[in-house]
């Protein structure tokens, strides 16, 4: 009986290890698969779900995890891979070993989907803001907006709305909010032409915030009075879930 008790006590640690959930890198890979499925099936709800799943991962977005994810999703040496990787500090040897061990059982699969590319921009931008590297976040957000202007896909609208938010936030954190007012107006017109209602609503809110930040009440009221009224407002705007 004593031996049975000792055996149970020795088995306890192994059980606790096996009950741990998937790593942050593995969860990001699963989110990438969800985005890929949503893009091919043109199901925006899957993209929305991917954003919600990312919320829980925000505290786990380390440089080593993001670097491994970029290597998994993007083609190393490509323009977007080189740009985004340049914002990430080099991971230490311990983190590299952990990431290698985590991804060893699954061979990298390269994707060329714009949705995944924009998602990578979003992840790196969130990481930079959380690390208080605001000038780099501003540069990253500007690059992401330039890329978005060349993409007109409804499955990107949900991701774009988050990038618009962080684009404005990064400029606000660096004290340069006035610089992007004209670009926000241009983006709002673009969203209107593309019938991107979520983008219109998001950019309208950002423009109003921009005007009010500088006490430009007349301009804010003029914009508000001319803004379109949508019959069904998105849940993302009614209850903000920006990550």
């Amino acid at each position: 009986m004593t031996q049975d008790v000792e055996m149970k006590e020795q088995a306890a640690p192994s059980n606790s290890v096996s009950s741990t959930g998937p790593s942050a890198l593995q969860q990001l890979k699963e989110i990438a698969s969800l985005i890929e499925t949503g893009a091919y099936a043109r199901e925006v709800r899957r993209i929305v779900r991917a954003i919600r799943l990312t919320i829980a991962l925000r505290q786990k977005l380390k440089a080593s995890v993001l670097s491994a994810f970029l290597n998994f999703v993007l083609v190393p040496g490509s323009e977007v891979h080189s740009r985004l990787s340049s914002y990430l500090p080099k991971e230490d040897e311990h983190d590299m070993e952990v990431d290698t061990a985590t991804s060893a059982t699954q061979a990298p699969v390269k994707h060329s989907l714009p949705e995944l590319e924009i998602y990578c921009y979003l992840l790196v931008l969130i990481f930079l803001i959380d690390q208080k590297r605001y000038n780099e976040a501003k540069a990253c957000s500007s690059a992401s907006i330039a890329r978005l202007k060349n993409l007109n896909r409804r499955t990107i609208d949900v991701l774009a709305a988050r990038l618009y938010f962080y684009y404005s936030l990064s400029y606000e954190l660096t004290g340069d909010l006035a610089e992007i007012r004209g670009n926000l107006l241009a983006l709002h017109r673009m969203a209107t032409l593309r019938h991107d209602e979520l983008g219109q609503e998001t950019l309208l809110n950002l423009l109003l915030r921009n005007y009010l930040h500088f006490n430009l009440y007349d301009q804010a009221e003029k914009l508000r009075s001319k803004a379109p009224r949508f019959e069904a407002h998105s849940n993302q705007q009614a209850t903000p879930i920006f990550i």
Side-chain angles (χ1 to χ4, degrees), residues 142-161:
S142 296
S144 70
I145 295 301
R147 181 70 178 107
L148 276 175
K149 290 179 178 179
N150 297 320
L151 300 173
N152 185 10
R153 296 158 68 100
R154 300 288 67 80
T155 46
I156 285 182
D157 291 347
V158 177
L159 297 166

Side-chain angles (χ1 to χ4, degrees), residues 119-130:
Y119 181 68
C120 288
Y121 270 110
L122 180 61
L123 286 177
V124 173
L125 183 52
I126 292 171
F127 171 79
L128 292 174
I129 291 177
D130 286 347

Side-chain angles (χ1 to χ4, degrees), residues 62 64-65 90-102:
K62 298 180 180 180
S64 58
V65 174
K90 299 298 182 181
E91 62 269 28
D92 57 40
E93 294 182 358
H94 174 70
D95 286 336
M96 289 178 65
E97 291 174 358
V98 172
D99 291 334
T100 301
T102 302

Side-chain angles (χ1 to χ4, degrees), residues 24-32 57 61 65 69 119 123:
L25 177 57
Q26 185 58 40
Q27 291 180 71
L28 285 175
K29 290 180 180 180
E30 293 172 359
I31 292 174
L57 280 178
L61 296 182
V65 174
F69 182 68
Y119 181 68
L123 286 177

Side-chain angles (χ1 to χ4, degrees), residues 14-230:
S14 62
N15 290 337
S16 61
V17 171
S18 62
S19 62
T20 58
S23 66
L25 177 57
Q26 185 58 40
Q27 291 180 71
L28 285 175
K29 290 180 180 180
E30 293 172 359
I31 292 174
S33 178
L34 187 63
I35 292 174
E36 183 180 23
T37 302
Y40 283 126
R42 296 182 180 180
E43 295 182 350
V44 177
R45 62 182 179 84
R46 292 182 183 271
I47 312 297
V48 173
R49 186 185 174 205
I51 292 294
R52 293 184 181 278
L53 290 175
T54 306
I55 296 174
L57 280 178
R58 182 163 186 165
Q59 300 301 321
K60 300 179 181 179
L61 296 182
K62 298 180 180 180
S64 58
V65 174
L66 291 177
S67 180
F69 182 68
L70 294 181
N71 291 336
F72 173 76
V73 174
L74 305 173
V75 178
S78 63
E79 181 180 356
V80 61
H81 181 277
S82 299
R83 178 184 295 115
L84 292 178
S85 296
S86 68
Y87 296 118
L88 302 176
K90 299 298 182 181
E91 62 269 28
D92 57 40
E93 294 182 358
H94 174 70
D95 286 336
M96 289 178 65
E97 291 174 358
V98 172
D99 291 334
T100 301
T102 302
S103 58
T105 57
Q106 184 174 358
V109 179
K110 304 306 176 186
H111 303 276
S112 59
L113 284 176
E115 288 82 357
L116 285 170
E117 180 182 334
I118 296 303
Y119 181 68
C120 288
Y121 270 110
L122 180 61
L123 286 177
V124 173
L125 183 52
I126 292 171
F127 171 79
L128 292 174
I129 291 177
D130 286 347
Q131 295 295 311
K132 301 186 185 332
R133 294 163 58 185
Y134 301 138
N135 286 321
E136 291 173 279
K138 187 170 72 171
C140 180
S141 67
S142 296
S144 70
I145 295 301
R147 181 70 178 107
L148 276 175
K149 290 179 178 179
N150 297 320
L151 300 173
N152 185 10
R153 296 158 68 100
R154 300 288 67 80
T155 46
I156 285 182
D157 291 347
V158 177
L159 297 166
R162 273 68 185 175
L163 282 180
Y164 295 147
F165 172 79
Y166 286 114
Y167 172 58
S168 178
L169 179 61
S170 62
Y171 273 79
E172 182 175 346
L173 291 171
T174 54
D176 302 318
L177 194 56
E179 293 182 15
I180 62 170
R181 190 178 305 138
N183 204 19
L184 289 177
L185 285 167
L187 289 170
H188 187 269
R189 288 193 293 269
M190 181 185 73
T192 301
L193 292 174
R194 293 179 174 180
H195 304 288
D196 173 10
E197 293 189 1
L198 179 57
Q200 290 180 67
E201 292 179 275
T202 301
L203 289 161
L204 175 61
N205 284 346
L206 294 175
L207 280 165
L208 290 173
R209 178 182 179 85
N210 196 299
Y211 284 131
L212 295 176
H213 182 83
F214 296 99
N215 300 323
L216 301 175
Y217 303 114
D218 291 340
Q219 290 93 323
E221 174 57 25
K222 183 177 180 181
L223 176 65
R224 186 204 62 78
S225 63
K226 293 184 178 181
R229 298 179 181 275
F230 300 104

